[in-house]
Amino acid sequence: MQLTVIGTGYLGAVHAACMAEVGHEVLGVDTDAGKIEALAAGRAPFFEPGLPELLTRNTKAGRLRFTTSLAEAANFADLHFVCVGTPQRPDSLAADLRHVEAVADGLAPLLTRDTLLVGKSTVPVGTARALSRRIAARLRPGVEAQVAWNPEFLREGYAVKDTLCPDRLVVGVTTPHADQVLRTVYMSMLRVGVPYISTDPATAELVKVAANSFLATKISFINAMAEVCDASGADVVTLADALGHDARIGRRFLSAGLGFGGGCLPKDIRAFLARAEELQVGEAVSFLRQVDRVNDRQRRRTVELTRHLVGGTFAGQRVAVLGATFKPDSDDVRDSPALAVTAEIHAQGADVRVHDPKGLDNARAALPGPAYCTDVAEACRDADVVLHLTEWRQYRDLDPTLLAQVVRTPRVLDARNALDRGAWHAAGWHVRALGRPAHVPQPGHSDVVRLTIPQAFGVASTAPTAGDPLSGVPK
Ligand code: NAD
């Protein structure tokens, strides 16, 4: 099929490349000429594993081209995916739909044939219907345009895999024709059994915001439990492991720490709150305000615990920060909890040195001031405390014995509860984390002790096993 992808950011660039990869002829469109130039040359303008290879292969094969011209897009295809940004409005919690509306307003008068516009951006429920009316008012006589919604669930860092092998496809359509077009687009995935849920646009729009709200709630739930653990001396990691064994709860998204961020979850739950108010059902989702507040509090708790660790003031203290991006395997620093903590600690007078495997350029642009280091040892040199703020694999693999020789004081705050604190403690570090007692178990003993059934009943005694035998789920 011939199709366009309008908006080639984190979502659109990956969607365009993957649609070409499954055999379609794709034209990517963006208003950012620099981004278009990079993509056309086969270069990904951001870090996403696997994307450069797809761009190179498909641009070379001639299936994937890029342009800044909406007129060229209107001429090229009768199927347009809309992937532009929907950030939070500066003056309220609501989503700013100006980019989506600009695409509709710009494209509609250029259309000369019947067209299907498919939104993939995350939008408030009701957007497709409003957009449909907006477009109809701008079409040339005799031309028809339908609007469908096909929300995207990809995760940065896994975006190529998530797009080529999604766990489900959700399409919100108003006609059998639109449904048939989308089934054809995604034929290669349907053939291998990817679930395809065809519904109305409102339900499709709502699936995305409901999914993000659920994930955000799960994270804030365990972070709220971490606060209770701090107040009571309990251990949130053991608590989460034990809860996670209940199949109805599950262990994923139950890792306490610095909380969520990025270009999606925070603004999506706020936009949902704002839209629910408009629909006069604000009370039904008012818990999302608490979810947002709990999340925000983790950033302040991390700053406060760090200040406490360095003796009550940041003046004259050197703080090493490991991680600037909002999550590992991405260079995205939008609403990054790590960068928010870094900014606050820097503002309070600390000498801050930041390392991140992929996000240094974006972090430096968003937050000039701290020193940015390409090497972990350089960031940690003479540090009074090390903060682990984004759970990149390479930080879990660090040798705490070697790192202890570089810092001034071997203190670490593991704000992601991802380091092997027994090993760090054994290497001489004072280890702290949100929701965990300061006490660290002796080497050779696990944080989590598996009781066999006879043990649990006091029948026999077996030595506890090391590691994390209960979970098997990455922390
Ligand atoms: P982004 O900021 O990386 O990309 C948006 C792109 O749209 C930019 O390149 C921008 O230049 C372009 N754009 C803006 N106005 C335009 C116009 N009028 N015409 C053409 N291009 C235009 O944002 P993103 O992270 O890709 O997110 C896009 C949408 O996808 C959002 O609604 C987001 O919530 C949703 N989403 C994102 C992800 C993710 O992981 N990033 C996942 C699922 C859904």
Side-chain angles (χ1 to χ4, degrees):
M1 297 183 80
Q2 276 184 252
L3 58 92
T4 80
V5 176
I6 304 173
T8 54
Y10 284 91
L11 162 61
V14 174
H15 189 64
C18 290
M19 288 299 96
E21 180 70 8
V22 299
H24 301 307
E25 289 194 27
V26 182
L27 182 64
V29 188
D30 204 289
T31 45
D32 183 336
K35 207 173 266 188
I36 286 301
E37 197 184 326
L39 288 164
R43 277 183 282 116
F46 48 85
F47 174 71
E48 185 60 53
L51 181 59
E53 293 81 351
L54 285 198
L55 287 173
T56 309
R57 184 159 57 240
N58 288 288
T59 46
K60 272 198 184 138
R63 281 191 300 270
L64 180 59
R65 292 190 301 112
F66 292 93
T67 182
T68 54
S69 164
L70 213 47
E72 193 182 339
N75 196 36
F76 179 77
D78 305 326
L79 171 61
H80 306 279
F81 283 96
V82 180
C83 299
V84 295
T86 50
Q88 184 179 340
R89 288 174 60 101
D91 54 350
S92 76
L93 296 183
D96 185 347
L97 293 177
R98 91 176 73 156
H99 301 303
V100 175
E101 289 168 356
V103 172
D105 294 355
L107 192 62
L110 297 170
L111 299 176
T112 54
R113 304 175 301 265
D114 291 355
T115 296
L116 178 61
L117 204 85
V118 183
K120 287 195 78 63
S121 304
T122 305
V123 292
V125 57
T127 300
R129 196 157 63 156
L131 215 57
S132 182
R133 284 199 292 264
R134 196 175 176 109
I135 290 171
R138 289 166 173 78
L139 289 171
R140 296 180 189 190
V143 177
E144 281 191 19
Q146 289 181 34
V147 177
W149 223 264
N150 168 216
E152 179 56 59
F153 302 95
L154 68 80
R155 300 159 298 166
E156 286 176 27
Y158 303 90
V160 169
K161 177 185 158 292
D162 286 350
T163 306
L164 290 174
C165 315
D167 45 22
R168 81 288 216 190
L169 287 159
V170 178
V171 303
V173 291
T174 51
T175 63
H177 168 72
D179 182 61
Q180 197 48 54
V181 170
L182 286 165
R183 281 181 193 274
T184 312
V185 168
Y186 293 122
M187 184 62 75
S188 60
M189 298 161 203
L190 300 191
R191 273 204 200 108
V192 294
V194 171
Y196 179 89
I197 295 143
S198 183
T199 179
D200 56 89
T203 306
E205 290 163 335
L206 207 48
V207 170
K208 175 64 188 178
V209 284
N212 276 0
S213 297
F214 189 85
L215 295 173
T217 302
K218 208 169 169 190
I219 296 170
S220 278
F221 172 82
I222 200 64
N223 282 334
M225 294 305 107
E227 291 186 41
V228 177
C229 286
D230 277 336
S232 60
D235 181 354
V236 75
V237 174
T238 308
L239 177 75
D241 286 341
L243 288 174
H245 278 286
D246 185 331
R248 295 168 302 175
I249 297 174
R251 182 61 171 81
R252 297 185 70 191
F253 273 68
L254 216 52
S255 292
L258 187 44
F260 57 82
C264 291
L265 251 55
K267 60 105 175 157
D268 288 349
I269 62 169
R270 291 172 199 151
F272 194 16
L273 275 163
R275 182 63 183 137
E277 291 286 349
E278 283 171 10
L279 294 169
Q280 313 210 328
V281 285
E283 192 61 30
V285 296
S286 60
F287 66 92
L288 290 175
R289 260 180 232 286
Q290 280 304 329
V291 167
D292 204 9
R293 279 193 199 125
V294 168
N295 190 56
D296 197 48
R297 228 171 20 240
Q298 305 320 308
R299 302 176 184 196
R300 275 180 280 131
R301 276 169 27 89
T302 301
V303 172
E304 280 160 21
L305 182 52
T306 309
R307 199 175 43 230
H308 168 76
L309 283 173
V310 296
T313 172
F314 284 117
Q317 298 294 318
R318 178 170 279 195
V319 179
V321 169
L322 300 183
T325 53
F326 87 96
K327 60 177 276 187
D329 305 309
S330 171
D331 65 357
D332 196 346
V333 298
R334 289 178 290 182
D335 202 352
S336 163
L339 214 54
V341 167
T342 304
E344 183 58 28
I345 286 174
H346 181 255
Q348 291 190 24
D351 168 15
V352 184
R353 298 166 71 79
V354 183
H355 174 269
D356 190 278
K358 296 290 175 192
L360 285 188
D361 289 345
N362 286 343
R364 196 183 287 110
L367 180 68
Y372 290 96
C373 311
T374 50
D375 184 76
V376 172
E378 190 192 340
C380 292
R381 192 160 315 284
D382 298 329
D384 296 291
V385 63
V386 174
L387 304 186
H388 176 231
L389 301 186
T390 311
E391 65 272 42
W392 287 91
R393 162 111 234 155
Q394 81 173 77
Y395 299 147
R396 287 206 298 279
D397 292 343
L398 283 171
D399 182 337
T401 306
L402 289 180
L403 206 61
Q405 294 162 18
V406 168
V407 297
R408 184 153 43 213
T409 316
R411 278 188 208 117
V412 62
L413 169 51
D414 180 10
R416 292 295 178 183
N417 275 319
L419 303 177
D420 179 348
R421 69 179 189 155
W424 282 69
H425 183 73
W429 290 79
H430 175 58
V431 186
R432 289 304 307 271
L434 299 175
R436 306 199 81 180
H439 160 77
V440 173
Q442 294 305 303
H445 288 259
S446 164
D447 285 2
V448 181
V449 177
R450 188 200 329 238
L451 290 181
T452 60
I453 288 175
Q455 262 185 309
F457 284 87
V459 178
S461 72
T462 318
T465 39
D468 181 21
L470 264 187
S471 148
V473 180
K475 287 187 186 159

